[in-house]
Amino acid sequence: MKRLTTLMLGVALMAQTATAQLALDKKQNTGNEQSQKVTATIQKVNDYWQSHNSPKCRAFWDNAAYFTANQKVYQHTQKKEYLDYAIEWAEYNHWKGATQKDKSRWEYKTYGEGMNHVLFADWQICFQVYIDLYKLERRAERIERTLEVMCHQASTPEKDYWWWSDALYMGLPIFSKLYTITHDQKLLDKQYECFKWTDSLLFDTEDQLYYRDAKYIYPKVKTACNNGKSFWARGDGWVLAGLALVLQDLPEDSKYRPFYIDRFKKLAEGVARCQQPEGHWTRSMLCPDDAPGYETSGTAFFTYGILWGVNNHILPQKQYEGTISKAWKYLSEVALQQDGSIGYVQPIGEKPDPTRTVNARSQAPFGTGAWLLAACEYCEYLNSLSK
């Protein structure tokens, strides 16, 4: 009788193990299938963009933001066409941003698209792409200008380089990315010094969000919702995504890492509280009435940042899985158009502007780039769920 009982227990245990294994296999297969579908969509979106836009365009922020995402897509798919497209763009721009040679004429304190604005982060974001391309094929000319500009900036006494929130995506990550090549501690010291200055100026500790720049700090600008604070979605999207980029390259033992992680976590919490039921974030984060309707660029940058945080065990999955699910539903069912274009992108601007049209045909390189970043990170998320 004892042997029979033992045998029956053994059979039951084997059955439970087999059932558990089948469930695990099903979960893994489902996750892999979903990831493959998203990857196919990523390629459709990137193919659409590259077939409709020449790589022979300037290296200013609007185009360069797309190319930072194209690098991520290349890493994800290994499609040589995407790499060739990036190299053609970099070569067209001679591996430079703003081209002024005379350092005494280099500017950054005001907005500027001219060649003197060498230290203006909107002309420096291209360096992120050049560094990535250098790592693939270590040809000195690819980062010669990057080293000249960023090492000069690291040696200056000024710390007010990033006076607007967008700069925390454009300029902030360059220092830690370049550090992975040079291992020069001065780059990380300068990065932190400048970030602390920006953070002290623009971060609102109560709502855990960043103002776009000093012009919008409450009560200078008030929303239609109880005269409240005005936070611009794409501005905060730049910051969350930028912090994710910094943390990817910052050494694990860096003394600065805890502060970046603290701000990343707090910003993610502030962002998640503002998500709309449909999954997107409105242009005015705390007051949808200021600029109602869908908006993709801020939404996609938020989705990318939160996904990266979850995938890298900085943000808790259980806390953010609902946020991710709703955001991806919006990105894949509303922002994504049937032809592979990405719509509902607010045009170039600096605030939640209701006078600017945002619809299904509103496209921009930085909006497509933001979507691609989020989609690539979503694939990683699906793969992690299937393990």
Side-chain angles (χ1 to χ4, degrees), residues 57-63 92-124 126-127 130 145 148-149:
C57 56
R58 65 179 183 167
F60 204 49
W61 75 270
D62 50 346
N63 296 315
Y92 176 78
N93 288 287
H94 307 288
W95 304 93
K96 295 178 180 180
T99 58
Q100 174 59 249
K101 295 180 180 180
D102 183 354
K103 290 183 175 65
S104 67
R105 298 175 63 184
W106 288 2
E107 301 176 32
Y108 71 89
K109 290 192 175 183
T110 59
Y111 178 87
E113 300 184 26
M115 292 301 107
N116 286 347
H117 273 71
V118 176
L119 300 177
F120 186 49
D122 284 1
W123 270 122
Q124 295 179 335
C126 57
F127 296 156
Y130 302 162
R145 180 64 167 181
E148 178 189 18
V149 172

Side-chain angles (χ1 to χ4, degrees), residues 260-309:
Y260 288 114
I261 288 179
D262 175 75
R263 281 297 184 261
F264 181 79
K265 287 181 174 180
K266 286 179 178 174
L267 179 55
E269 289 173 359
V271 164
R273 287 196 294 268
C274 305
Q275 187 181 30
Q276 299 301 302
E278 300 88 346
H280 66 291
W281 281 262
T282 51
R283 284 170 277 176
S284 181
M285 295 178 69
L286 299 184
C287 184
D289 292 345
D290 270 0
Y294 297 133
E295 205 288 307
T296 295
S297 60
T299 296
F301 280 126
F302 289 148
T303 307
Y304 164 70
I306 290 171
L307 279 165
W308 185 88

Side-chain angles (χ1 to χ4, degrees), residues 204-217:
D204 185 282
T205 56
E206 180 182 27
D207 288 295
Q208 298 176 230
L209 297 170
Y210 285 83
Y211 292 101
R212 195 275 175 176
D213 61 57
K215 296 192 302 293
Y216 297 95
I217 296 174

